[in-house]
Amino acid sequence: MKTILGALTGATLLAGPALAQDQELLIGSTSASSSHYGYFVAVGELINENAEGLSASVVETGATLDNIKRMSRDQVDLGLVTTNTAQHAYAGTDDFEGNQQDLRMLWVYTNAPQNAIVRADAGVEDLEGLDGVRFNPGIRGSSTEATTEAVFDTLGLSADFARGSTTDIVSAIKDNRVSGYVKSGSGQKLDGSTMDIATATDIEVLGLSDEQAETLRDEMPDLSVVDIPEGAAEGVPAYKTWAFGVGVAAPASMDEEAAYKIVSAIMADESAQANAMASIGDADLAQMTLDYGTIPLHPGAARWFEENGYDIPEKLQPEE
């Protein structure tokens, strides 16, 4: 009997490595109609091809707020976040009052101007002109939606807010049931869904006045005010708008080695991310992370930055 048991035990041990499976990760992204979704498809492929022992799949979600909630429920392992909402979640403020999230930053991949787009025939010339106008503040449940509402409150603006997904709102704008929306840009260019609208009707971008820009700088320090040069799309003049960084976060509970492998794969890439999102181009993702990050880095991410000679700012230092 001992001989048989020994043989079976030996066979099991020998079979162990062959039966070992990759750690499966779910990545929370955003609406499939967004250019950011394509970016996360590229991220998933980079992880699958270059992060040994990890296997990633991308999930369509309602973007930042939805992703943070899903991470807290262990429904996704990492996901798209905006730097302002990530800071609110980490600090337990705003939408996360009394519900602090144990969230950590992995990397930031773009700075997202928030573009207020309207049909040219809506007769709206500035943000104040949206009073009483059917207008979508952003995809339902997204950071864009929450930030737009906060900006409008801060600036004393109002609109007849229409809620819905990007797909629903794009169709409603084309059909003239809704006059416009706020949509994250693709770097300094308008987003793909906005360009889709522009194929059906002429559009305009409503920028901040100098006074509004100064108010946001003073009263909403979690946001940036950015100058977008002429050419965000054909015929669009230069304008000012509010912005935040867009990156990838994970729960603090993510395995340090997994986080390190993921960040290593992302930072080593020279083309896949730029091919998926043109605005990334020659962007320095590591420096962008240090410049726009608002919450501590995951220890695995911090390890990559330290090994590659970066000085991590105090606010991004991983917690003990």
Side-chain angles (χ1 to χ4, degrees):
M1 181 64 72
K2 289 182 179 180
T3 302
I4 295 174
L5 288 173
L8 288 173
T9 301
T12 300
L13 291 173
L14 288 171
L19 295 174
Q21 295 183 342
D22 288 348
Q23 178 183 346
E24 296 184 0
L25 302 173
L26 289 181
I27 305 174
S29 58
T30 183
S31 167
S33 64
S34 169
S35 58
H36 290 261
Y37 182 85
Y39 173 77
F40 278 89
V41 171
V43 166
E45 292 174 350
L46 285 171
I47 293 172
N48 290 335
E49 294 171 2
N50 300 292
E52 184 178 355
L54 302 179
S55 175
S57 299
V58 178
V59 180
E60 181 180 9
T61 69
T64 295
L65 289 172
D66 189 20
N67 288 335
I68 293 174
K69 292 174 183 176
R70 289 179 186 235
M71 282 189 272
S72 71
R73 296 193 293 258
D74 295 325
Q75 293 175 340
V76 298
D77 299 286
L78 63 159
L80 177 153
V81 296
T82 56
T83 54
N84 59 331
T85 303
Q87 194 277 331
H88 298 161
Y90 176 77
T93 59
D94 287 48
D95 287 325
F96 297 91
E97 187 74 41
N99 187 28
Q100 188 174 6
Q101 301 293 306
D102 206 11
L103 203 63
R104 300 292 183 269
M105 186 64 66
L106 295 178
W107 76 94
V108 174
Y109 63 88
T110 191
N111 188 24
Q114 300 297 285
N115 298 311
I117 309 296
V118 293
R119 294 175 57 103
D121 60 9
V124 178
E125 298 181 354
D126 51 34
L127 290 168
E128 289 92 340
L130 290 171
D131 185 28
V133 174
R134 291 280 286 168
F135 186 77
N136 171 247
I139 179 175
R140 188 189 298 275
S142 69
S143 183
T144 290
E145 180 184 53
T147 303
T148 298
E149 291 178 343
V151 166
F152 273 45
D153 285 345
T154 300
L155 297 179
L157 301 171
S158 63
D160 179 9
F161 285 147
R163 313 289 179 172
S165 68
T166 300
T167 301
D168 292 340
I169 295 300
V170 166
S171 296
I173 295 172
K174 288 180 177 180
D175 295 343
N176 204 15
R177 290 177 285 121
V178 173
S179 293
Y181 71 161
V182 175
K183 188 68 177 66
S184 294
S186 182
Q188 294 188 331
K189 300 295 183 181
L190 300 185
D191 180 78
S193 67
T194 305
M195 300 310 298
D196 182 26
I197 294 170
T199 63
T201 184
D202 291 338
I203 61 170
E204 293 182 357
V205 182
L206 305 179
L208 294 167
S209 67
D210 291 341
E211 182 179 356
Q212 290 169 336
E214 193 60 33
T215 298
L216 291 185
R217 289 190 184 100
D218 291 341
E219 299 186 26
M220 296 189 70
D222 56 331
L223 296 180
S224 301
V225 173
V226 295
D227 291 294
I228 305 299
E230 180 181 356
E234 186 175 355
V236 175
Y239 60 96
K240 283 185 175 66
T241 193
W242 61 95
F244 43 75
V246 183
V248 182
S253 58
M254 172 178 272
D255 176 70
E256 179 178 334
E257 188 65 22
Y260 175 76
K261 288 179 179 179
I262 291 168
V263 173
S264 296
I266 294 303
M267 297 302 176
D269 170 56
E270 297 181 352
S271 61
Q273 294 170 89
N275 289 340
M277 180 174 278
S279 63
I280 291 178
D282 296 326
D284 184 338
L285 299 189
Q287 191 59 52
M288 190 179 296
T289 301
L290 300 179
D291 290 342
Y292 290 100
T294 55
I295 62 175
L297 292 170
H298 190 286
R303 187 170 126 206
W304 183 90
F305 279 88
E306 290 167 349
E307 288 182 357
N308 286 273
Y310 289 93
D311 292 327
I312 300 174
E314 181 62 31
K315 66 178 180 178
L316 301 186
Q317 286 287 344
E319 294 186 349
E320 296 296 332

